[in-house]
Amino acid sequence: MMFVVRRLLLTIPILLLVSIMTFSLIHMIPGDPARVILGQEATPEAYQALRTELGLDKPIVVQYFSWLGKVVTGDLGMSITDRIPVSELIKQRLPATVELTIGTFLVAILIAFPAGILAATRRGTWIDYTSTFTALGGMSIPSFWLAMMLIIYFAVENQWLPSSGYVSFFENPAQNLLAMVLPCVATGLRESAVLMRMLRSSLLDVVNMDFIRTAKAKGLNEARTILGHALRNAMVPVVTTSGLMIAGLLGGLVITESIFSIPGFGRLIVESVFKRDYVTVQGAILVSAVLVVIVNLAVDILYAVIDPRIKAGKGASE
């Protein structure tokens, strides 16, 4: 429990740093932010009104604490172009990205774990070479190209799955799942290759340790030795990679979302940048950063569950 409390306390300065960096975003724009947003042809009245709306007519320290006070209560400001609260925009877009992230991660795990375990336990055989070759191919193929190939085969030629679009799971579960198959597979195949390589490498280090030889000497079969003893000890680097993967997916699925016309979080950021809606960009980046901090916190807690020595603050070698 104390470990979790310590990790939670450590997130406070990180979140404060993130808030400062996010707030500074609008002030890093060359020139006056209001003039950049409105353009050179804006009237003086419109220019002054936007400066007042954004709080740019106040000292920067006052602006930051005023903005931070609103953020703490969930007020991320008003979208300049859509004229609706940024928190509402994020609430509309985030579920699709979270669903796509979860689906991608499930596809990656379902492929990576069997392939990684087989490659490690059958080292030097055709199974190992085939898994390694497939993983290298998966990492080399761009996900946008794979996405288009999947659309051509499964949606255009055979019409087994929809080519694009998104329907909320709560509106139509069957149509939602059908629409998410191709996006999840297109991104999950690449991520599975990364996970598989990491799991294979980590397992190869563990299977040669003394406690594994002892387990085999006591008569445990290979499946129980790998699944019951080796896999858990090989999971720390895999969990690290998984955490980085999930954090990257939550804000970096804009290409997949664009190809499959999914109104997700990544597209919201890109669209807002093109529309110069810096209030929305600011709020979306803050939420994205907070999600990354939450994922890293979950990974740290998972470390302690997998290896209690981490919770006790001891090194792995002790």
Side-chain angles (χ1 to χ4, degrees):
M1 188 63 187
M2 286 304 298
F3 174 78
V4 176
V5 173
R6 284 201 303 270
R7 297 305 303 169
L8 285 172
L9 291 176
L10 279 174
T11 60
I12 295 175
I14 296 173
L15 290 175
L16 280 175
L17 181 62
V18 166
S19 71
I20 293 172
M21 295 176 66
T22 307
F23 172 78
S24 303
L25 173 71
I26 197 168
H27 297 277
M28 293 170 65
I29 303 170
D32 187 280
R35 184 66 68 190
V36 173
I37 293 169
L38 293 175
Q40 295 298 325
E41 298 179 356
T43 63
E45 292 78 13
Y47 167 72
Q48 192 57 45
L50 184 59
R51 280 186 61 81
T52 304
E53 180 184 341
L54 297 177
L56 297 174
D57 54 346
K58 299 174 183 173
I60 190 165
V61 177
V62 176
Q63 291 180 40
Y64 170 70
F65 282 104
S66 174
W67 174 77
L68 186 62
K70 292 179 181 176
V71 166
V72 171
T73 61
D75 181 5
L76 298 175
M78 186 73 72
S79 168
I80 295 172
T81 55
D82 296 320
R83 307 310 299 172
I84 60 175
V86 173
S87 56
E88 188 64 31
L89 276 176
I90 293 174
K91 196 184 298 182
Q92 293 172 2
R93 298 296 193 97
L94 195 55
T97 297
V98 171
E99 185 180 354
L100 183 55
T101 300
I102 294 173
T104 298
F105 188 58
L106 286 177
V107 170
I109 287 180
L110 289 174
I111 297 173
F113 271 69
I117 292 172
L118 282 174
T121 55
R122 302 290 184 271
R123 185 181 185 183
T125 65
W126 67 270
I127 296 177
D128 184 22
Y129 294 135
T130 303
S131 300
T132 302
F133 178 79
T134 306
L136 289 174
M139 288 189 287
S140 304
I141 297 174
S143 56
F144 71 88
W145 181 85
L146 182 61
M148 290 188 286
M149 294 301 105
L150 291 175
I151 289 174
I152 291 172
Y153 184 76
F154 289 98
V156 178
E157 293 189 359
N158 294 294
Q159 299 183 350
W160 291 335
L161 294 167
S163 61
S164 61
Y166 175 77
V167 179
S168 171
F169 180 82
F170 299 103
E171 292 180 15
N172 190 330
Q175 195 171 346
N176 169 270
L177 293 176
L178 286 175
M180 296 302 282
V181 168
L182 291 183
C184 292
V185 171
T187 48
L189 284 176
R190 177 181 171 82
E191 304 300 341
S192 70
V194 178
L195 270 187
M196 193 282 276
R197 293 290 297 167
M198 180 58 66
L199 180 59
R200 175 187 178 276
S201 174
S202 184
L203 264 179
L204 285 176
D205 290 337
V206 173
V207 294
N208 293 319
M209 290 183 173
D210 290 340
F211 75 95
I212 294 297
R213 283 194 286 269
T214 303
K216 290 180 180 177
K218 287 183 176 180
L220 287 181
N221 59 36
E222 184 180 32
R224 290 187 63 185
T225 303
I226 296 297
L227 298 178
H229 297 275
L231 189 58
R232 179 170 180 169
N233 287 277
M235 282 300 292
V236 170
V238 177
V239 169
T240 304
T241 306
S242 300
L244 293 173
M245 177 190 302
I246 292 173
L249 289 173
L250 285 171
L253 284 169
V254 59
I255 295 177
T256 304
E257 290 172 355
S258 299
I259 291 174
F260 290 98
S261 300
I262 297 173
F265 191 57
R267 282 184 69 190
L268 173 65
I269 296 176
V270 174
E271 290 168 1
S272 301
V273 169
F274 283 121
K275 291 189 291 187
R276 298 182 180 178
D277 189 350
Y278 294 107
V279 178
T280 302
V281 175
Q282 195 178 42
I285 290 177
L286 178 66
V287 170
S288 179
V290 170
L291 289 174
V292 171
V293 171
I294 293 173
V295 169
N296 283 329
L297 175 64
V299 168
D300 285 345
I301 295 173
L302 201 52
Y303 283 161
V305 174
I306 295 171
D307 189 347
R309 291 173 300 179
I310 295 175
K311 181 167 60 177
K314 298 178 180 179
S317 59
E318 292 177 272

